Short mmCIF file of all heavy atoms in Angstrom, two decimals:
data_model
loop_
_atom_site.label_atom_id
_atom_site.label_comp_id
_atom_site.label_asym_id
_atom_site.label_seq_id
_atom_site.Cartn_x
_atom_site.Cartn_y
_atom_site.Cartn_z
N ALA X 393 0.80 -1.19 -0.02
CA ALA X 393 0.01 0.06 -0.09
C ALA X 393 0.87 1.25 0.06
O ALA X 393 1.84 1.29 0.78
CB ALA X 393 -0.86 0.02 1.18
N TYR X 394 0.55 2.11 -0.88
CA TYR X 394 1.21 3.47 -0.88
C TYR X 394 0.22 4.57 -0.90
O TYR X 394 -0.57 4.58 -1.76
CB TYR X 394 2.15 3.56 -2.12
CG TYR X 394 3.29 2.69 -2.16
CD1 TYR X 394 3.25 1.47 -2.83
CD2 TYR X 394 4.43 3.06 -1.46
CE1 TYR X 394 4.31 0.65 -2.76
CE2 TYR X 394 5.58 2.14 -1.49
CZ TYR X 394 5.56 0.97 -2.07
OH TYR X 394 6.65 0.13 -2.12
N THR X 395 0.39 5.46 0.08
CA THR X 395 -0.66 6.52 0.14
C THR X 395 -0.69 7.42 -1.09
O THR X 395 -1.71 7.81 -1.56
CB THR X 395 -0.24 7.45 1.37
OG1 THR X 395 -0.19 6.64 2.52
CG2 THR X 395 -1.29 8.52 1.56
N GLU X 396 0.44 7.50 -1.75
CA GLU X 396 0.52 8.40 -2.92
C GLU X 396 -0.27 7.88 -4.11
O GLU X 396 -0.50 8.63 -4.94
CB GLU X 396 1.99 8.56 -3.35
CG GLU X 396 2.94 9.16 -2.27
CD GLU X 396 3.40 8.25 -1.20
OE1 GLU X 396 3.48 6.98 -1.50
OE2 GLU X 396 3.64 8.61 -0.06
N GLN X 397 -0.51 6.56 -4.08
CA GLN X 397 -1.28 5.99 -5.25
C GLN X 397 -2.70 6.43 -5.15
O GLN X 397 -3.32 6.30 -4.12
CB GLN X 397 -1.05 4.53 -5.28
CG GLN X 397 0.25 4.06 -5.55
CD GLN X 397 0.33 2.56 -5.58
OE1 GLN X 397 -0.44 1.83 -5.12
NE2 GLN X 397 1.45 2.05 -6.16
N ALA X 398 -3.30 6.79 -6.26
CA ALA X 398 -4.76 7.16 -6.33
C ALA X 398 -5.57 5.97 -6.62
O ALA X 398 -6.79 6.05 -6.29
CB ALA X 398 -4.91 8.31 -7.31
N SER X 399 -4.97 5.00 -7.24
CA SER X 399 -5.82 3.88 -7.75
C SER X 399 -6.08 2.88 -6.58
O SER X 399 -5.50 2.88 -5.56
CB SER X 399 -5.03 3.14 -8.85
OG SER X 399 -3.84 2.58 -8.30
N ALA X 400 -7.04 2.06 -6.76
CA ALA X 400 -7.45 1.09 -5.76
C ALA X 400 -6.34 0.03 -5.57
O ALA X 400 -5.67 -0.21 -6.58
CB ALA X 400 -8.74 0.36 -6.17
N TRP X 401 -6.26 -0.52 -4.50
CA TRP X 401 -5.32 -1.53 -4.10
C TRP X 401 -5.68 -2.77 -5.02
O TRP X 401 -6.79 -3.26 -5.00
CB TRP X 401 -5.51 -1.92 -2.69
CG TRP X 401 -4.52 -2.87 -2.13
CD1 TRP X 401 -3.98 -4.05 -2.63
CD2 TRP X 401 -3.94 -2.73 -0.86
NE1 TRP X 401 -3.09 -4.68 -1.88
CE2 TRP X 401 -3.11 -3.86 -0.66
CE3 TRP X 401 -4.02 -1.84 0.20
CZ2 TRP X 401 -2.32 -4.10 0.48
CZ3 TRP X 401 -3.30 -2.07 1.33
CH2 TRP X 401 -2.40 -3.11 1.44
N PRO X 402 -4.73 -3.26 -5.81
CA PRO X 402 -4.98 -4.42 -6.70
C PRO X 402 -5.42 -5.66 -5.90
O PRO X 402 -4.63 -6.04 -5.00
CB PRO X 402 -3.78 -4.61 -7.54
CG PRO X 402 -2.76 -3.65 -7.08
CD PRO X 402 -3.31 -2.78 -5.91
N GLN X 403 -6.40 -6.21 -6.28
CA GLN X 403 -6.72 -7.59 -5.59
C GLN X 403 -7.81 -8.22 -6.39
O GLN X 403 -8.57 -7.59 -7.11
CB GLN X 403 -7.13 -7.40 -4.15
CG GLN X 403 -8.52 -6.74 -3.91
CD GLN X 403 -8.86 -6.67 -2.53
OE1 GLN X 403 -7.92 -6.44 -1.68
NE2 GLN X 403 -10.06 -6.79 -2.17
N ALA X 404 -7.79 -9.51 -6.24
CA ALA X 404 -8.94 -10.27 -6.95
C ALA X 404 -10.23 -10.27 -6.09
O ALA X 404 -10.22 -10.23 -4.82
CB ALA X 404 -8.50 -11.72 -7.02
N ALA X 405 -11.32 -10.10 -6.74
CA ALA X 405 -12.65 -10.08 -6.10
C ALA X 405 -12.96 -11.47 -5.64
O ALA X 405 -13.01 -12.45 -6.51
CB ALA X 405 -13.69 -9.46 -7.03
N LEU X 406 -13.19 -11.72 -4.43
CA LEU X 406 -13.51 -13.03 -3.92
C LEU X 406 -15.00 -12.95 -3.25
O LEU X 406 -15.23 -11.95 -2.68
CB LEU X 406 -12.59 -13.47 -2.79
CG LEU X 406 -11.09 -13.67 -3.20
CD1 LEU X 406 -10.29 -13.96 -2.01
CD2 LEU X 406 -10.99 -14.82 -4.27
N PRO X 407 -15.76 -13.90 -3.53
CA PRO X 407 -17.17 -13.90 -2.96
C PRO X 407 -17.03 -13.79 -1.44
O PRO X 407 -16.28 -14.48 -0.83
CB PRO X 407 -17.74 -15.23 -3.42
CG PRO X 407 -16.92 -15.77 -4.42
CD PRO X 407 -15.53 -15.14 -4.26
N GLY X 408 -17.86 -12.91 -0.86
CA GLY X 408 -17.89 -12.79 0.65
C GLY X 408 -16.75 -12.03 1.21
O GLY X 408 -16.56 -12.07 2.43
N VAL X 409 -15.91 -11.35 0.40
CA VAL X 409 -14.74 -10.61 0.89
C VAL X 409 -14.82 -9.25 0.38
O VAL X 409 -14.96 -8.91 -0.84
CB VAL X 409 -13.47 -11.27 0.44
CG1 VAL X 409 -12.29 -10.50 0.88
CG2 VAL X 409 -13.33 -12.71 0.86
N PRO X 410 -14.79 -8.20 1.38
CA PRO X 410 -14.74 -6.77 0.87
C PRO X 410 -13.56 -6.50 0.08
O PRO X 410 -12.50 -7.01 0.30
CB PRO X 410 -14.79 -5.98 2.19
CG PRO X 410 -15.11 -7.02 3.26
CD PRO X 410 -14.82 -8.37 2.81
N THR X 411 -13.63 -5.61 -0.86
CA THR X 411 -12.66 -5.19 -1.69
C THR X 411 -11.99 -3.90 -1.21
O THR X 411 -12.77 -2.94 -1.01
CB THR X 411 -13.04 -5.04 -3.14
OG1 THR X 411 -13.60 -6.19 -3.65
CG2 THR X 411 -11.87 -4.69 -4.08
N VAL X 412 -10.70 -3.79 -1.07
CA VAL X 412 -10.07 -2.53 -0.56
C VAL X 412 -10.05 -1.57 -1.72
O VAL X 412 -9.56 -1.83 -2.80
CB VAL X 412 -8.61 -2.81 -0.09
CG1 VAL X 412 -7.91 -1.50 0.41
CG2 VAL X 412 -8.59 -3.83 1.09
N ASN X 413 -10.60 -0.33 -1.48
CA ASN X 413 -10.59 0.77 -2.55
C ASN X 413 -9.66 1.89 -2.11
O ASN X 413 -9.12 2.56 -3.06
CB ASN X 413 -12.00 1.29 -2.60
CG ASN X 413 -12.94 0.32 -3.21
OD1 ASN X 413 -12.60 -0.44 -4.03
ND2 ASN X 413 -14.20 0.51 -2.77
N LYS X 414 -9.47 2.13 -0.87
CA LYS X 414 -8.60 3.21 -0.38
C LYS X 414 -7.76 2.78 0.78
O LYS X 414 -8.33 2.23 1.74
CB LYS X 414 -9.43 4.40 -0.02
CG LYS X 414 -8.64 5.54 0.53
CD LYS X 414 -9.58 6.70 1.02
CE LYS X 414 -8.78 7.78 1.76
NZ LYS X 414 -9.72 8.75 2.41
N VAL X 415 -6.43 3.06 0.70
CA VAL X 415 -5.53 2.67 1.80
C VAL X 415 -4.90 3.93 2.31
O VAL X 415 -4.41 4.74 1.48
CB VAL X 415 -4.45 1.70 1.34
CG1 VAL X 415 -3.45 1.49 2.44
CG2 VAL X 415 -5.10 0.41 0.85
N VAL X 416 -4.90 4.17 3.58
CA VAL X 416 -4.14 5.29 4.23
C VAL X 416 -3.09 4.68 5.18
O VAL X 416 -3.40 3.84 6.03
CB VAL X 416 -5.16 6.17 5.10
CG1 VAL X 416 -4.32 7.19 5.80
CG2 VAL X 416 -6.15 6.82 4.08
N ASN X 417 -1.83 5.10 4.95
CA ASN X 417 -0.71 4.54 5.62
C ASN X 417 -0.52 5.30 7.03
O ASN X 417 -0.71 6.54 7.09
CB ASN X 417 0.53 4.56 4.84
CG ASN X 417 0.44 3.74 3.58
OD1 ASN X 417 0.13 2.54 3.70
ND2 ASN X 417 0.64 4.35 2.47
N PRO X 418 -0.11 4.61 8.09
CA PRO X 418 0.23 5.30 9.32
C PRO X 418 1.55 6.04 9.15
O PRO X 418 2.33 5.66 8.24
CB PRO X 418 0.41 4.12 10.28
CG PRO X 418 0.80 3.06 9.45
CD PRO X 418 0.11 3.21 8.10
N THR X 419 1.80 7.10 9.92
CA THR X 419 2.95 7.79 9.89
C THR X 419 3.59 7.82 11.29
O THR X 419 2.92 7.58 12.29
CB THR X 419 2.71 9.30 9.46
OG1 THR X 419 1.80 9.83 10.41
CG2 THR X 419 2.14 9.43 8.05
N GLY X 420 4.94 7.96 11.32
CA GLY X 420 5.65 8.06 12.58
C GLY X 420 5.72 6.87 13.38
O GLY X 420 5.86 6.94 14.59
N LEU X 421 5.68 5.67 12.76
CA LEU X 421 5.82 4.46 13.58
C LEU X 421 7.29 4.21 13.88
O LEU X 421 8.20 4.37 13.05
CB LEU X 421 5.22 3.28 12.74
CG LEU X 421 3.79 3.26 12.51
CD1 LEU X 421 3.39 2.10 11.68
CD2 LEU X 421 2.98 3.30 13.76
N PRO X 422 7.54 3.73 15.10
CA PRO X 422 8.95 3.41 15.41
C PRO X 422 9.58 2.35 14.55
O PRO X 422 8.91 1.38 14.12
CB PRO X 422 8.87 2.92 16.82
CG PRO X 422 7.64 3.42 17.37
CD PRO X 422 6.66 3.57 16.19
#
């Protein structure tokens, strides 16, 4: 996941599984 990317996170659509559309990365982790 890269915050700078505007496109959806690539993944295969699986029945019964939500598809990730937007990812926000944490900042300042040790």
Side-chain angles (χ1 to χ4, degrees):
Y394 291 96
T395 305
E396 299 81 28
Q397 291 179 344
S399 63
W401 187 318
Q403 71 178 34
L406 298 174
V409 178
T411 304
V412 179
N413 294 328
K414 176 185 172 189
V415 174
V416 175
N417 297 305
T419 57
L421 295 178

